[in-house]
Amino acid sequence: MAIRLPVICLLGSFMVVAIAADLTPERYWSTALPNTPIPNSLHNLLTLDFTDEKSTNVQVGKGGVNVNAGKGKPGGRTAVNVGKGGVRVDTGKSKPGGGTHVSVGSGKGHGGGVAVHTGKPGKRTDVGVGKGGVTVHTRHKGRPIYVGVKPGANPFVYNYAAKETQLHDDPNAALFFLEKDLVPGKAMNVRFNAEDGYGGKTAFLPRGEAETVPFGSEKFSETLKRFSVEAGSEEAEMMKKTIDECEAKKVGGEEKYCATSLESMVDFSVSKLGKYHVRAVSTEVTKKNAPMQKYKIAAAGVKKLSDDKSVVCHKQKYPFAVFYCHKAMMTTVYAVPLEGENGMRAKAVAVCHKNTSAWNPNHLAFKVLKVKPGTVPVCHFLPESHVVWFSY
């Protein structure tokens, strides 16, 4: 089922330019975690492109940078070309408050780069070019496709309770298994891409922008207005479920946090694990939209990545990227190479919880595996858009 939500979109950043007043999310990551590569699952949320006729196209090549911002009416287009020869800006007529503003930096004060701001506030395109590379932020009126399943609770939180019918209807059920099954040659039926619909095609907002959006049950009506979502609609229910999970009581001493930006996710994870010996990983699959199929654990075998504490962040249903993060004690993180029946390969990340005594007895994992809370370690593969942080 396709659900359309108006959303402020972020079209990626490759590298930040010193002329920016604030660090971009990607630069914030590299500053806070200089020795930790950003997983593809998170990097993709910085470069999502919901293309429409008012979107921004960016081309980067050896000759420089070419930016075309929106089709617009004749004379309304903004074109920016940056090359070895300098900067050329062509901008059409615009109402007051719109237009194009160009800054060319020199020396340390501006990072020796170029900054271009075009459009009205809130619908603006910002382009920066410097020695480090190119940064582009675009905020337009496009209505990206939000692909979601029927609103429901997150099966990766401890207080989740499943119905019997979900054993067959919930594609996430196949992601749960027992630790003893992590051996070469073991076959499992899994559909990794099923979760893409659960988390939706929603991008990160920079922290400064995300913090201007109300997030919480007290201001929920204001949030609905911000995104033009009708109260009582399925979209509204979906958003309310996410907020309810974020505000729910902690389970068994759990430390949890809902990150509304990449920067806040970094801060929470670093506060629990430190910054010098921490890694963040996510599942990677070679093909998108693959059907449920049988995978075998490759002969190369399973690799244990961590056997102590971790922070697991699960992508939520929301108009922009929100992650439910929780610190998990007594957990083991594994890298699991999988080979599918159709030749498809996956570098799966698995998390095994050694102590499940505080979990809801009706949790989906117990129904799937037919075990009771606190008896055996319960494991699950991470969907592609989720991430686990651990110390090494």
Side-chain angles (χ1 to χ4, degrees), residues 284-304:
E284 296 183 7
V285 183
T286 57
K287 185 179 180 182
K288 297 297 181 183
N289 301 318
M292 174 81 75
Q293 64 176 300
K294 183 176 291 184
Y295 288 89
K296 285 187 178 181
I297 297 179
V302 177
K303 180 180 179 181
K304 183 182 292 186

Side-chain angles (χ1 to χ4, degrees), residues 130-181:
K131 293 181 179 179
V134 182
T135 295
V136 181
H137 292 167
T138 181
R139 302 165 180 85
H140 58 76
K141 288 185 177 180
R143 293 173 61 85
I145 297 295
Y146 186 98
V147 182
V149 297
K150 189 174 180 62
N154 190 332
F156 303 104
V157 298
Y158 304 148
N159 59 0
Y160 176 86
K163 300 178 181 178
E164 292 296 334
T165 54
Q166 289 178 265
L167 292 177
H168 302 288
D169 298 338
D170 191 342
N172 290 298
L175 298 176
F176 292 97
F177 58 92
L178 296 176
E179 191 173 27
K180 66 181 181 65
D181 294 326

